[in-house]
Amino acid sequence: MKLDGKVALVTGAASGIGHAIAKRYVEAGGRVAIADLNLDAAEAAAKEIGDAKTAIAVAMDVSSEEQVNAGVEKTAATFGTIDILVSNAGIQIVHPIEEFPFAAWKKMLAIHLDGAFLTTKACVKYMYKQKSGSLIYMGSVHSHEASPLKSAYVTAKHGLLGLARTMAKEGAKYGVRANVICPGFVRTPLVDKQIPEQAKELGISEERVIREVMLGETVDKEFTTVEDIAEVALVLAAFNTNALTGQSITASHGWHMG
């Protein structure tokens, strides 16, 4: 599938899943703005995957309305419009509910939900004007399932389903689609960080965390890859009718089927 010059804003794209998506979009003929809290890393990623005509770096704290609006405006000013939003920026914090700091809860929801809301609000004005666009939210198997220690994360990822479904209905008359990608465990620094944390909280070995907690419900005991998710993101970005909107697509080696 080809993007033919379409412009994408990808948040949290200096590394991990977001970086893989941005790279795949450029390979498919798209132009991307790599939005990240770490501007130096975003600039390095932009130089890695493209040139000044195909990839730019944007400093963005997705929980800041001012930074989101400025980053979106810079992207549109550079490339002329915005055709695709990939709301990917996210973090993970694990605690049992009785020990979960309220500040950490609020931080989780601000990055995952406020970030998706703010970037959507800023991007749709360009999409609505041109009568086309694709909103892609990075959910998780935890958009459908729950796991111990992840109350804030599971709540946030469930919330993205509601936002995407609402935007599918609001955006339809403007040719704007909204969908959620729901990866299983992808071996990124975010996941690597969880392994010792969960081993400590659950009182089991790191090997058991990987084998039983992370991959126990998969069909083949394999991690999903960033490249897997990038391919799904390309399909959703390039698909051009409302036949595919308001959906959650799970890529998880069979963990959660439905």
Side-chain angles (χ1 to χ4, degrees), residues 169-192:
K169 293 192 173 185
E170 288 192 14
K173 64 183 177 181
Y174 301 103
V176 174
R177 306 171 309 286
N179 294 287
V180 184
I181 301 174
C182 297
F185 281 102
V186 180
R187 200 69 186 263
T188 64
L190 185 69
V191 167
D192 283 337

Side-chain angles (χ1 to χ4, degrees), residues 7-9 68-85 118-135 174-176:
V7 178
L9 173 71
V68 167
N69 289 344
V72 169
E73 288 173 10
K74 177 183 176 181
T75 302
T78 301
F79 292 132
T81 189
I82 297 176
D83 301 291
I84 303 151
L85 166 66
L118 290 171
T119 51
T120 298
K121 183 179 178 182
C123 287
V124 293
K125 66 181 181 181
Y126 298 100
M127 298 178 181
Y128 285 1
K129 183 178 180 180
Q130 66 194 17
K131 300 291 185 180
S132 67
S134 178
L135 302 168
Y174 301 103
V176 174

Side-chain angles (χ1 to χ4, degrees), residues 144-210:
H144 300 281
E145 300 277 356
S147 291
L149 310 178
K150 296 184 177 181
S151 55
Y153 186 81
V154 171
T155 299
K157 293 304 188 183
H158 272 65
L160 290 175
L161 296 178
L163 177 60
R165 290 164 180 166
T166 300
M167 289 312 304
K169 293 192 173 185
E170 288 192 14
K173 64 183 177 181
Y174 301 103
V176 174
R177 306 171 309 286
N179 294 287
V180 184
I181 301 174
C182 297
F185 281 102
V186 180
R187 200 69 186 263
T188 64
L190 185 69
V191 167
D192 283 337
K193 177 177 177 290
Q194 295 177 54
I195 295 170
E197 292 175 343
Q198 292 208 39
K200 181 179 179 181
E201 290 285 357
L202 297 173
I204 60 177
S205 69
E206 294 185 13
E207 181 184 353
R208 286 186 62 192
V209 169
I210 294 172

Side-chain angles (χ1 to χ4, degrees), residues 26-258:
V26 170
E27 290 172 349
R31 295 174 288 167
V32 299
I34 296 175
D36 203 277
L37 197 60
N38 186 332
L39 181 58
D40 289 341
E43 289 175 340
K47 290 178 181 177
E48 176 195 339
I49 67 175
D51 57 28
K53 295 181 180 180
T54 58
I56 64 169
V58 175
M60 187 181 292
D61 174 351
V62 296
S63 66
S64 164
E65 185 172 18
E66 181 180 358
Q67 288 195 32
V68 167
N69 289 344
V72 169
E73 288 173 10
K74 177 183 176 181
T75 302
T78 301
F79 292 132
T81 189
I82 297 176
D83 301 291
I84 303 151
L85 166 66
V86 182
S87 177
N88 167 75
I91 61 170
Q92 178 62 279
I93 303 171
V94 295
H95 292 288
I97 188 71
E98 69 274 15
E99 298 173 9
F100 215 116
F102 187 36
W105 169 276
K106 290 189 288 185
K107 181 178 181 180
M108 284 283 296
L109 268 61
I111 292 171
H112 290 268
L113 291 181
D114 293 356
F117 164 76
L118 290 171
T119 51
T120 298
K121 183 179 178 182
C123 287
V124 293
K125 66 181 181 181
Y126 298 100
M127 298 178 181
Y128 285 1
K129 183 178 180 180
Q130 66 194 17
K131 300 291 185 180
S132 67
S134 178
L135 302 168
I136 301 171
Y137 303 101
M138 194 56 61
S140 166
V141 168
H142 286 105
S143 296
H144 300 281
E145 300 277 356
S147 291
L149 310 178
K150 296 184 177 181
S151 55
Y153 186 81
V154 171
T155 299
K157 293 304 188 183
H158 272 65
L160 290 175
L161 296 178
L163 177 60
R165 290 164 180 166
T166 300
M167 289 312 304
K169 293 192 173 185
E170 288 192 14
K173 64 183 177 181
Y174 301 103
V176 174
R177 306 171 309 286
N179 294 287
V180 184
I181 301 174
C182 297
F185 281 102
V186 180
R187 200 69 186 263
T188 64
L190 185 69
V191 167
D192 283 337
K193 177 177 177 290
Q194 295 177 54
I195 295 170
E197 292 175 343
Q198 292 208 39
K200 181 179 179 181
E201 290 285 357
L202 297 173
I204 60 177
S205 69
E206 294 185 13
E207 181 184 353
R208 286 186 62 192
V209 169
I210 294 172
R211 185 178 69 250
E212 298 173 14
V213 177
M214 293 185 168
L215 303 181
E217 297 300 318
T218 66
V219 298
D220 53 13
K221 303 297 185 287
E222 290 187 13
F223 281 101
T224 305
T225 69
V226 294
E227 291 80 14
D228 293 330
I229 304 307
E231 290 299 326
V232 177
L234 177 58
V235 171
L236 292 176
F239 204 91
N240 59 11
T241 77
N242 285 333
L244 185 54
T245 194
Q247 303 303 310
S248 62
I249 299 178
T250 302
S252 67
H253 287 257
W255 176 31
H256 181 78
M257 299 184 187

